[in-house]
Amino acid sequence: MTKVRLLDSIFTRLVAWSIAVCIVVVLIIGALVGAKFEQLSTASKEASVNTDTATLIAAYDEGGIGAVEQRIEDRLAFPAPAGNGPHYLLVDSDGAKIVGNLPAWPTGPRADGPIGTIALPGGGTGRARAIAFPDGRLLVARETSLDAMILNEIGLAFVAGGLFVVFAVGVAGWITARRLSRRIDRVIGAFVNPDQTRLDLLERGRHAEDEIGELTRQSSAALQRVNRLVDAHRETLDQIAHEMRTPLMHLDSRLMRGMRAAPDEAVAQGLLEARADIRTVIAMLESLLDISHSEANRGDPRGLERVNLSAMLQDLADLYAGSAEETGHRFEVDIAPGIAINGEPMQLTRLVTNLLDNAFKYTPGGGTVRLELEPGPTITVADTGPGIPYDDRERVFERFSRAKGNHGASGGSGLGLALARAIARRHGLDIVLRPTMRGACFRVVPEAATKDAA
């Protein structure tokens, strides 16, 4: 099963998107709250300035500029909170300071004009209004430094709160993604290897009433149907094999008895040829059944076991080395040690022997047959025989197909390479015919490698 990389996982993307959305939402809410606070704060300061100004105008109306001076001194006598205190400046008609806590008339607001912003001593700012009297001018201001500090505190609170929300969303998203990923992995695992253990695991998620639960239910039902069909296919093939092989074997036995009792040599020769035909039919039937079995079980790991491919091929090489000496072939072997694969030993043995049989059969005496095993695994069977015409490179793997010039003259049924490819694909492998300058070169390679090459 292909492992999905963390960054490619759809769940990782969902969590990342959730965190990104949370960050954006926190920033937007923080900006809106800050803007609203600044608006309300400014309105509050302006209202205080207007109220203070109105009170001092009323004092002037009652007692002139002296009453205003006294009222300002009274107010400045009370301590005010840092960053939020009132500021006053009362000057006479010549601009000389009469009273106030501002050293000089600031630039900005003009007398009887709208409220404006002024710079205060010490670096702060304030909202201020100026009033003109017949014998002087008055400036009333409210410091806004405290509002700026409160706004900064609100910003810091939103940053801290936002980080906590992002962390909480990330943790909750990671936990949820892990749970969903495990449920999806169970479905994928059941498709990769539909054995009973994985189907039982799939059954545990059937009752969830969400989308993955529905996917699990449909996947479980589909895999159960596929398993039933495969089992029915196997049973049918076994029955066909039994019903056909048994009467053919009985017929072969009867012919054997007839040969022993045949008084005529010509009749005995006919019976002998009939037996050969029957054995050819039985061999062909067994090959067809093996091809069907292999194709039906393709991708199904059930029944596979760990096979030491290096040891198996070495045993075959020892076996064929003796035959090569008798037939006058040169047999070269290069087998890498320690290579193993999950498979059926008998089928893998038949796969390699089919290729070796073909190589020795079609290579004239004195020629060379080579068997190699490399990590991958990659099995190579090459010979220096007549080779296979370019147009027949894929057709030789079809059932009952023979290369040009070989229409059964060699005694083959045309099923050997078809069976070899079916067995290879049953084990996640494939057979390819490599281009060579001389002879034929069959390579058994992982099926994924042939797909990548295509």
Side-chain angles (χ1 to χ4, degrees), residues 145-397:
S145 300
L146 182 61
D147 297 338
M149 288 188 292
I150 293 175
L151 191 60
N152 289 335
E153 292 293 331
I154 292 175
L156 291 175
F158 263 93
V159 170
L163 290 176
F164 175 77
V165 170
V166 169
F167 176 76
V169 169
V171 172
W174 181 78
I175 294 173
T176 304
R178 289 277 298 173
R179 295 182 59 188
L180 294 176
S181 180
R182 282 198 292 268
R183 295 172 64 189
I184 292 293
D185 285 345
R186 282 201 293 268
V187 176
I188 296 174
F191 272 102
V192 173
N193 183 6
D195 59 15
Q196 196 55 46
T197 302
R198 294 181 184 270
L199 291 179
D200 290 341
L201 287 175
L202 203 59
E203 284 292 314
R204 298 179 185 176
R206 286 176 56 92
H207 306 295
E209 298 297 333
D210 54 14
E211 290 83 351
I212 297 180
E214 180 65 17
L215 173 65
T216 304
R217 284 189 290 275
Q218 298 301 329
S219 299
S220 177
L223 289 173
Q224 295 285 2
R225 285 197 299 272
V226 170
N227 280 351
R228 286 196 294 270
L229 288 173
V230 171
D231 291 340
H233 182 67
R234 288 198 190 99
E235 291 176 4
T236 302
L237 290 176
D238 291 342
Q239 289 175 358
I240 291 174
H242 176 74
E243 296 300 329
M244 294 188 68
R245 187 186 292 115
T246 302
L248 285 172
M249 294 301 293
H250 289 168
L251 180 58
D252 183 65
S253 298
R254 290 193 185 101
L255 289 175
M256 174 64 78
R257 288 195 295 272
M259 288 174 59
R260 291 171 180 165
D264 190 310
E265 185 176 345
V267 174
Q269 180 63 31
L271 293 176
L272 184 63
E273 293 174 357
R275 285 196 68 209
D277 290 341
I278 289 174
R279 291 190 176 277
T280 300
V281 172
I282 292 175
M284 189 182 300
L285 174 64
E286 289 176 344
S287 294
L288 287 171
L289 291 173
D290 285 340
I291 291 174
S292 297
H293 269 297
S294 297
E295 291 179 345
N297 292 322
R298 183 178 179 182
D300 185 354
R302 289 178 293 180
L304 302 183
E305 59 184 80
R306 203 63 180 166
V307 178
N308 188 330
L309 205 55
S310 298
M312 191 190 79
L313 262 62
Q314 189 60 57
D315 292 341
L316 287 175
D318 295 341
L319 184 64
Y320 276 83
S323 301
E325 290 181 1
E326 295 177 359
T327 56
H329 289 92
R330 182 182 178 188
F331 187 39
E332 298 177 349
V333 178
D334 184 6
I335 298 176
I339 298 177
I341 186 176
N342 290 331
E344 294 183 47
M346 291 301 297
Q347 284 202 327
L348 290 172
T349 300
R350 194 167 185 184
L351 162 63
V352 179
T353 55
N354 273 3
L355 297 178
L356 287 173
D357 286 344
N358 275 348
F360 279 105
K361 183 189 298 180
Y362 295 111
T363 301
T368 301
V369 175
R370 183 171 179 79
L371 172 64
E372 294 179 1
L373 174 62
E374 303 170 73
T378 299
I379 304 171
T380 302
V381 177
D383 62 65
T384 56
I388 297 174
Y390 183 81
D391 294 340
D392 293 335
R393 297 175 67 83
E394 274 303 313
R395 202 168 60 85
V396 293
F397 293 107

Side-chain angles (χ1 to χ4, degrees), residues 82-99:
N84 195 30
H87 292 270
Y88 304 97
L89 182 60
L90 180 64
V91 298
D92 58 19
S93 55
D94 297 329
K97 179 178 177 181
I98 301 174
V99 70

